[in-house]
Amino acid sequence: MEKKMRDLEDELFPSTPGKVKIERAHAMNRQFHRCFASTSTMFLWALFLIALTASYLSFQSFVDTSSKYFTASWGGLHWERQVRASAIPRRPNGFSVLVTGAAGFVGSHVSIALRKRGDGVLGLDNFNSYYDPSLKKARKTLLASHGVFVVEGDVNDARLLAKLLDIVPFSHVMHLAAQAGVRYAIENPNSYVHSNIAGLVTLLEACKAADPQPAIVWASSSSVYGLNEKVPFSESDTTDRPASLYAATKKAGEEITHTYNHIYGLSITGLRFFTVYGPWGRPDMAYFSFTRNILQGKPITVYRGKDRVDLARDFTFIDDIVKGCVASLDTAEKSTGSGGKKRGPAQYRIYNLGNTSPVTVPTLVAILERHLKVKAKKNIIEMPGNGDVPFTHANISLARRELGYKPSTNLEAGLKKFVKWYLSYYGYGRTNAGKNLFAFRVAML
């Protein structure tokens, strides 16, 4: 016990303190070297990790860039050959037409009509999801079967438009790409500004810089008449009271196109479509959704105006609209500018394309019931303030006189063709039937 106490005392109170100081100094020195060595190692590891991270990020950026380059929906020699081949006319003095919105309702019909008569047609469409993109993809497949190549891209892509206009000296541009629909503007207003205003300006900028400048025919809308109460609607009527954002963007488009016509010599024709319907139409349109709901046994909503007045529309069959579009191309004069500089006054026109025979919505429903052989379940309510107008009625005397436009399909006959297409396309009454191209080919005959 005493030995242990002495050992403890010697350890705590040594007889040679200097020696202990030296030993302590050596110990501290060793600890310092260990710490420094450890810190240096950590520092080197940190540098290594930073370098590794930087290399990874740099490599990832390269991969992303390469991926975008290799997976881009446009570009490359093969792509350019497809563009040129599609745009080459097959008839003497044929047109070479860039059709925007080519996979859309009107765009697909116009593209096929032009192709059938031997014009060169190149399509452009962004295949957005405003309504079922599979319908647009099916139209794209049909267009391909007619030799029409559709570029997947947006009219806001200035680089793409410049490339297309550089590869092909288009004689005409049929601009049908737009954000459609009146009510959807309440949910997504920015999409209308993006497509109908910014997209239009981007296209006009590309066309003004092209050499040669193409003549432009584009889709305005009967919606520009807004709250106008004078009927029928004429091109000379005032259009400064739009009832929806959609209408406002189309009215803005008319002012913008006039500006580019005046400053840059672009030949421009605006077409005010009146409620287009027919085979392979837009699913958001009333006649389309009514058909779907009636067949599925679901109720349909029928709006009424003030004082229980039925809403009425100047329904215009797709074939008649196509004839008006083609006639506009045929009568369009050449643009007078070159390289963005105007060399003389250029043609500027606006036409109504309608049927001139407004039909009430209840009458539309009754016709569908007859062709579908199914009674509709109707919910009749007062029209909300969502941008819809109570009626439309086109005065087409100007288009008749200058374009030879003469609509020939009434609503009864047109809906019969639509119902035939709808039942075939969606497979009603046939086993293992599905969405197929046969239905569209039949409708196009």
Side-chain angles (χ1 to χ4, degrees):
M1 181 70 178
E2 289 181 4
K3 186 176 183 304
K4 286 182 180 180
M5 291 294 292
R6 281 196 302 272
D7 291 340
L8 181 61
E9 186 176 340
D10 288 340
E11 187 175 339
L12 295 174
F13 307 102
S15 58
T16 54
K19 178 181 176 182
V20 173
K21 285 181 182 178
I22 292 172
E23 288 178 352
R24 284 180 179 171
H26 283 304
M28 289 176 66
N29 198 30
R30 283 195 298 271
Q31 286 288 88
F32 175 77
H33 280 296
R34 285 197 195 102
C35 180
F36 180 78
S38 176
T39 303
S40 299
T41 303
M42 289 177 65
F43 180 70
L44 289 173
W45 272 108
L47 283 177
F48 175 72
L49 289 173
I50 291 171
L52 188 64
T53 302
S55 299
Y56 171 77
L57 292 174
S58 178
F59 176 74
Q60 190 64 34
S61 175
F62 169 77
V63 169
D64 290 343
T65 302
S66 300
S67 176
K68 287 178 183 176
Y69 175 79
F70 289 114
T71 62
S73 59
W74 62 274
L77 293 177
H78 176 64
W79 178 82
E80 288 189 18
R81 282 195 293 268
Q82 287 179 299
V83 167
R84 288 193 180 94
S86 185
I88 294 175
R90 264 66 171 178
R91 66 182 176 95
N93 301 316
F95 298 155
S96 181
V97 187
L98 172 63
V99 180
T100 70
F105 174 32
V106 179
S108 58
H109 283 268
V110 171
S111 295
I112 289 174
L114 291 172
R115 193 61 171 179
K116 279 185 174 180
R117 73 174 198 171
D119 292 319
V121 181
L122 178 70
L124 175 65
D125 205 293
N126 67 359
F127 296 90
N128 68 23
S129 58
Y130 169 61
Y131 63 81
D132 185 8
S134 68
L135 198 57
K136 300 175 185 179
K137 294 290 185 181
R139 297 190 191 115
K140 178 184 178 182
T141 301
L142 178 72
L143 289 169
S145 73
H146 282 82
V148 177
F149 179 56
V150 180
V151 175
E152 187 164 351
D154 197 287
V155 290
N156 279 285
D157 189 340
R159 199 163 62 92
L160 170 58
L161 292 177
K163 183 67 174 177
L164 293 176
L165 290 163
D166 179 59
I167 296 172
V168 179
F170 290 105
S171 60
H172 298 75
V173 171
M174 173 62 73
H175 179 47
L176 299 171
Q179 176 57 64
V182 171
R183 299 168 196 168
Y184 183 61
I186 295 175
E187 300 176 33
N188 189 4
N190 290 334
S191 65
Y192 289 80
V193 176
H194 176 78
S195 296
N196 301 357
I197 296 180
L200 176 61
V201 170
T202 304
L203 178 68
L204 292 172
E205 280 290 307
C207 290
K208 85 167 193 196
D211 192 6
Q213 288 180 342
I216 300 169
V217 177
W218 74 287
S220 182
S221 170
S222 61
S223 295
V224 300
Y225 291 107
L227 302 178
N228 185 14
E229 295 180 355
K230 171 187 166 294
V231 291
F233 300 156
S234 300
E235 292 89 346
S236 58
D237 291 347
T238 301
T239 53
D240 58 2
R241 293 198 301 158
S244 66
L245 179 60
Y246 170 70
T249 61
K250 285 300 185 178
K251 173 61 178 176
E254 292 186 353
E255 304 300 328
I256 290 168
T257 53
H258 185 275
T259 301
Y260 275 79
N261 165 266
H262 173 68
I263 297 176
Y264 302 110
L266 285 172
S267 170
I268 295 177
T269 303
L271 302 176
R272 293 173 177 172
F273 295 159
F274 281 72
T275 317
V276 190
Y277 73 100
W280 224 313
R282 288 194 351 241
D284 63 311
M285 297 290 284
Y287 72 95
F288 201 116
S289 62
F290 284 175
T291 300
R292 179 177 60 244
N293 287 354
I294 290 171
L295 288 170
Q296 294 177 359
K298 297 178 180 179
I300 63 174
T301 300
V302 178
Y303 293 127
R304 272 182 177 166
K306 292 180 180 179
D307 302 321
R308 302 175 66 83
V309 175
D310 292 326
L311 304 187
R313 292 289 182 270
D314 198 344
F315 295 101
T316 313
F317 191 62
I318 182 62
D319 291 358
D320 292 325
I321 290 293
V322 170
K323 290 174 186 175
C325 290
V326 173
S328 297
L329 291 170
D330 288 340
T331 56
E333 297 175 1
K334 292 183 178 181
S335 293
T336 62
S338 178
K341 294 182 179 180
K342 179 180 177 180
R343 303 189 186 284
Q347 184 184 51
Y348 185 83
R349 307 177 295 174
I350 290 180
Y351 297 109
N352 287 339
L353 293 186
N355 192 59
T356 74
S357 300
V359 177
T360 65
V361 175
T363 301
L364 165 73
V365 174
I367 295 173
L368 286 175
E369 288 176 324
R370 284 200 300 274
H371 291 313
L372 294 170
K373 298 178 174 59
V374 180
K375 199 70 176 174
K377 300 174 183 177
K378 298 184 280 285
N379 289 332
I380 301 175
I381 63 174
E382 187 173 333
M383 182 177 67
N386 56 10
D388 273 330
V389 292
F391 60 86
T392 60
H393 185 184
N395 178 345
I396 61 169
S397 57
L398 183 63
R400 182 185 287 116
R401 184 170 62 251
E402 297 187 3
L403 302 179
Y405 175 70
K406 187 178 180 180
S408 58
T409 308
N410 61 31
L411 188 61
E412 179 81 35
L415 285 179
K416 183 177 180 179
K417 292 181 180 181
F418 167 72
V419 168
K420 181 180 179 181
W421 168 82
Y422 188 96
L423 295 177
S424 179
Y425 182 79
Y426 288 101
Y428 285 89
R430 293 189 292 121
T431 56
N432 299 321
K435 301 169 186 177
N436 55 77
L437 297 179
F438 174 73
F440 193 54
R441 290 195 178 100
V442 169
M444 295 296 292
L445 293 178

